[in-house]
Amino acid sequence: MKRLFKTYLEKPELAGLILLLLLIVVFQIRSHGVFLNQDNLRGILGILPEAGLVAIGVTILMISGEFDLSVGSVFALMPMTMAVLMVHGAPFPLALLAGLLVSAAIGFINGYITIRFAIPSFITTLGMLFMARSLTVVVSGGFPPLLPADLPNWLFTSFVGPGNMFRMSFLWFAGIALLTSLMLSRTNFGNWIKATGGFPPAAAAMGIPTARVKIICFMLCSMLSGFAGMLQVLRLGSPLPSIGEGMELQAVASAVIGGASLAGGIGTVMGGIIGTTLIRVIDNGLVLSHVDANWFKFAIGFLTIFAVVANAWMRKRAKAIKMEG
C-alpha cells in the first residue's frame, strides 16, 4: 500500500488511467462488443484532438497555478478571424498566423492583467470569455462566413484529412502532446512551471521569473485553444460563432480528472489527455449502452468532484507515508 501511494505521488494521472480502463471494459460489455470496434474508435478519436488540445493548454496553465475560462471563446474567435481574412482574399498561411497572433494576444492580456493587478485569473478570464465571444459574433456579422470555394485540397488533407484509423488532426494532436510533455518533464522551463505553481515565493527566491512563466503559459493555453478551434472548423467546413461553448468547463474537468491540482504545481500533459479521453469515452459509451444521454453532464460533474476529493486524500496520505519513511 505504501508503495502504491508513493507511486501515485510521482504519477498523479494513474488514478484516471485506471478508471478509464475500467470504463472501457464496462462499456465494451454493455454495448455487446460494439464499443471497441474500429468504426466506433475512429469516431471517438476523430473529435478527441479538438478537446484534447484545449485540455493540454488548460492543464499546463493549472500546473503554473492559474485558470483560463476564456478558452472556449478563443476556440471560436481564432478560426472566425481566419475565415473572415480568407473571405477578403488573405492566403491561408497569413490567416493562420493572424489567428494565432490574436490567440496569443488574448493569452497575454489575461496573464498581464492577472499578474499586474494581482486579481484571480478566474475573474480575468471570465470577463475575457464574454469579450472574446462577443468579438466572434461581431467579426462574423452574426452569420458564419462562407469559406472560399477554391480552397486547395492540401489544406484539408494536411490538418483534418481522414485516414484508415486516424485523421491528420490526431497526428497534430499527438505531436503537440509529445512536445508539450517533453517540455514539461525534460526542460528547465517545465521545472519553472511546476515550481511557479507549487510555491511562487520560493520559486521567485530561486530566481525564476514567475510572472513571465505564467504569462507564457496563458499565451500557450490560448494558442492551443485557437489551433484546436481551427481544426474543428476545417472538419465541419463552417466557422460557427457558437462553437466551443462550455468547452472551458470540460477542459478544467479533464485536467482535474487527470490528476492536476487546483492549487498548482502538480499535473501532467498525459493526465489532461487521459481526462479528455475519459469524458469522450463516457459520452460515447452511454449512447452505445442505451443510457439516457442527459446523464452525461451528471457523470462528468460527479467525476470532477470525486477526482478532487480523492486526489486530495491520496496526496495527503502519500505525503504522510513519505514523511514516515
Side-chain angles (χ1 to χ4, degrees):
M1 184 62 71
K2 289 184 177 181
R3 187 175 180 180
L4 176 63
F5 279 115
K6 288 181 179 179
T7 302
Y8 172 79
L9 202 59
E10 298 172 357
K11 304 286 185 181
E13 69 274 15
L14 284 181
L17 179 59
I18 292 171
L19 180 58
L20 174 61
L21 295 175
L22 287 174
L23 283 177
I24 289 174
V25 172
V26 169
F27 287 136
Q28 176 70 357
I29 295 172
R30 292 272 301 175
S31 66
H32 305 291
V34 175
F35 183 80
L36 289 179
N37 72 29
Q38 184 172 340
D39 290 337
N40 191 58
L41 288 178
R42 187 187 297 116
I44 294 174
L45 297 177
I47 60 175
L48 179 65
E50 297 150 17
L53 287 171
V54 179
I56 289 173
V58 169
T59 298
I60 292 173
L61 185 58
M62 284 179 62
I63 295 171
S64 77
E66 303 293 346
F67 287 93
D68 190 348
L69 295 179
S70 68
V71 290
S73 298
V74 175
F75 186 92
L77 178 58
M78 187 277 199
M80 185 63 72
T81 303
M82 287 183 59
V84 170
L85 289 174
M86 291 170 71
V87 166
H88 287 84
F92 175 78
L94 181 60
L96 174 61
L97 177 61
L100 290 175
L101 286 175
V102 168
S103 301
I106 290 176
F108 177 82
I109 293 170
N110 283 336
Y112 180 79
I113 292 176
T114 297
I115 294 164
R116 175 67 178 81
F117 299 100
I119 61 177
S121 54
F122 175 88
I123 299 300
T124 308
T125 58
L126 179 62
M128 186 59 74
L129 178 154
F130 295 111
M131 293 165 62
R133 183 65 65 178
S134 178
L135 284 174
T136 304
V137 177
V138 170
V139 167
S140 69
F143 299 94
L146 295 176
L147 294 175
D150 59 347
L151 288 177
N153 288 331
W154 67 261
L155 178 58
F156 298 94
T157 55
S158 299
F159 288 97
V160 295
N164 292 331
M165 188 64 187
F166 303 112
R167 286 179 174 271
M168 276 300 299
S169 57
F170 187 86
L171 299 182
W172 280 96
F173 166 60
I176 291 172
L178 178 62
L179 289 175
T180 52
S181 182
L182 290 174
M183 179 271 292
L184 198 60
S185 60
R186 302 290 180 87
T187 68
N188 285 335
F189 185 69
N191 293 330
W192 288 3
I193 292 173
K194 295 173 186 175
T196 298
F199 192 51
M206 293 168 59
I208 296 174
T210 55
R212 191 183 309 166
V213 168
K214 289 191 175 189
I215 289 176
I216 291 174
C217 288
F218 270 108
M219 294 173 68
L220 177 62
C221 181
S222 285
M223 291 175 72
L224 286 175
S225 300
F227 186 79
M230 182 202 71
L231 292 179
Q232 184 170 109
V233 165
L234 289 176
R235 178 173 63 85
L236 298 177
S238 179
L240 302 175
S242 60
I243 63 171
E245 289 184 349
M247 182 166 279
E248 58 280 337
L249 302 181
Q250 286 197 26
V252 172
S254 296
V256 171
I257 292 170
S261 171
L262 295 170
I266 298 174
T268 63
V269 168
M270 182 55 66
I273 294 171
I274 290 171
T276 306
T277 307
L278 191 57
I279 290 175
R280 297 275 64 82
V281 163
I282 292 172
D283 189 15
N284 181 271
L286 289 178
V287 174
L288 292 180
S289 302
H290 303 291
V291 177
D292 188 341
N294 291 315
W295 284 103
F296 168 66
K297 291 184 178 179
F298 179 92
I300 301 308
F302 174 80
L303 273 179
T304 303
I305 296 173
F306 177 79
V308 172
V309 174
N311 286 338
W313 180 80
M314 291 183 73
R315 287 189 188 109
K316 187 180 294 185
R317 287 289 302 149
K319 289 178 180 178
I321 290 172
K322 188 175 181 180
M323 291 179 65
E324 291 173 4

